Amino acid sequence: MDIEDLRTFVEVADAGGVTAAAGRLGVSKSIVSRRLIRLETELGVQLLARTTRGAALTEAGATFRDHAARVCAEIDVARETILPNGHLRGRLRVAAPLTFGPTHFAPALAELARRHPQLHVHACYSDRFVDLVSEGYDCAIRVGYLQDSNLIARRVGPMYGKLVASPSYIKAHGAPETPDDILEHQALMQGTETWQFEDGDEVVTVHPQGRFKADNGAALAAAAAAGLGVARLPDCVTHDYIVSGELVPIMTRYPPPSAGAYVVRPRGQHPERKVRVLTDLLIEYFGKPPHLARSGHRSRLREG
């Protein structure tokens, strides 16, 4: 029985169809179908009921899926134990934010692939909230303030931010001096979020209002530079705008609380080694100057 056939069956079962599983595995749908047919022929039983909307587990398939998943996990562990110098192999699917992800986190993922030539790294960059379990990701890199969830999170570094506006907006509308003043301004937001600011030892929460919203920090920075309002953004997004003078820090007496960058993963008995290695690499990345959290410049990682 081929381990790739088992792994493919688990992916189809979890993804709910051949098309989604093919995307997760990075192979064609025809290859996925051939593997499934081969596995069912080997077992002499139907594991999946094909429908126009995807594939559903049969009773035998539901029973076999958990056993197959455990076998795949054990094989991965066994393979890792015999690799030289702690090398990783297999596949790592990681979701990362589109905002500054390709410029700030992509170099770390590339370095991970360089250090581990037998590891396949599949990265997806999006600012939408990715469901790690249903979409088949091993982990995700998330920034900001984590909401309560059933995921395991490991903080890999700090993220700092500030309130900014363009000189043209400040000239036309003035700048807020206290958190309460923000309610009188156009706020550029990702959604209906609240904003928090430090006032000495206290944290002040405001509910800003605005007509321009975007799910991407770079888009909000561009809107702020165009004079549409005030924005609360990470330093690594606004760095170049501030250097050029297109944006100006405002209300600096009340800075936002420092946030963080995290690696999050689904709950399990033990984290996979490839996720632990990525986490350690990102912690190393945050410790390299120029600081990722403060600068728009790219850091470099060097082995040793």
Side-chain angles (χ1 to χ4, degrees):
M1 193 175 299
D2 192 293
I3 184 63
E4 291 305 322
D5 294 350
L6 286 177
R7 198 182 307 278
T8 299
F9 162 67
V10 172
E11 291 288 357
V12 173
D14 292 350
V18 170
T19 300
R24 291 185 181 188
L25 294 167
V27 299
S28 67
K29 292 189 292 184
S30 61
I31 290 178
V32 172
S33 296
R34 285 200 299 270
R35 289 176 179 175
L36 291 175
I37 292 172
R38 190 164 56 214
L39 180 61
E40 290 180 326
T41 302
E42 176 75 20
L43 294 171
V45 65
Q46 184 178 3
L47 300 173
L48 293 157
R50 282 71 165 179
T51 69
T52 56
R53 301 180 64 180
L57 288 170
T58 63
E59 183 177 352
T63 300
F64 187 67
R65 185 264 169 214
D66 291 340
H67 293 287
R70 284 197 294 270
V71 169
C72 292
E74 289 295 332
I75 289 294
D76 287 342
V77 171
R79 284 174 168 173
E80 286 183 359
T81 59
I82 62 174
L83 287 173
N85 302 321
H87 283 180
L88 300 173
R89 66 174 298 164
R91 178 171 53 94
L92 174 67
R93 295 192 77 230
V94 55
L98 179 60
T99 299
F100 58 79
T103 54
H104 290 80
F105 294 127
L109 292 171
E111 177 64 14
L112 179 69
R114 188 191 71 80
R115 294 184 185 182
H116 301 278
Q118 298 186 60
L119 179 67
H120 294 252
V121 178
H122 295 184
C124 174
Y125 295 93
S126 173
D127 282 333
R128 72 178 180 85
F129 190 84
V130 174
D131 188 321
L132 301 186
V133 176
S134 66
E135 298 184 46
Y137 286 94
D138 297 294
C139 65
I141 303 170
R142 290 181 178 162
V143 298
Y145 308 97
L146 289 187
Q147 299 177 349
D148 291 336
S149 72
N150 60 351
L151 301 175
I152 301 296
R154 173 80 184 279
R155 194 171 191 262
V156 296
M159 296 291 291
Y160 301 98
K162 55 175 61 74
L163 199 67
V164 295
S166 70
S168 62
Y169 180 88
I170 295 172
K171 182 177 180 180
H173 305 282
E177 296 183 0
T178 68
D180 288 341
D181 293 343
I182 292 175
L183 301 179
E184 301 174 4
H185 289 264
Q186 286 289 324
L188 308 174
M189 302 178 292
Q190 291 193 359
T192 58
E193 71 270 18
T194 59
W195 287 358
Q196 292 185 326
F197 300 92
E198 293 180 343
D199 183 4
D201 295 332
E202 297 182 358
V203 175
V204 180
T205 300
V206 298
H207 300 274
Q209 301 295 320
R211 65 184 181 87
F212 187 93
K213 298 181 181 181
D215 64 354
N216 178 269
L220 293 175
L228 295 182
V230 300
R232 190 194 64 168
L233 293 168
D235 289 351
C236 51
V237 174
T238 60
H239 176 270
D240 291 342
Y241 284 97
I242 291 174
V243 169
S244 67
E246 294 175 89
L247 290 176
V248 177
I250 56 176
M251 211 176 77
T252 55
R253 287 181 53 198
Y254 302 90
S258 64
Y262 302 85
V263 172
V264 299
R265 61 176 176 83
R267 287 188 180 274
Q269 186 174 9
H270 298 289
E272 291 188 81
R273 182 166 168 259
K274 57 190 176 183
V275 176
R276 297 199 307 270
V277 171
L278 171 62
T279 301
D280 292 341
L281 183 62
L282 286 169
I283 291 173
E284 176 188 346
Y285 189 34
F286 267 80
K288 296 281 186 177
H291 200 295
L292 167 67
R294 300 180 186 276
S295 172
H297 300 292
R298 290 176 291 180
S299 291
R300 290 188 178 181
L301 283 165
R302 295 193 181 276
E303 195 167 17

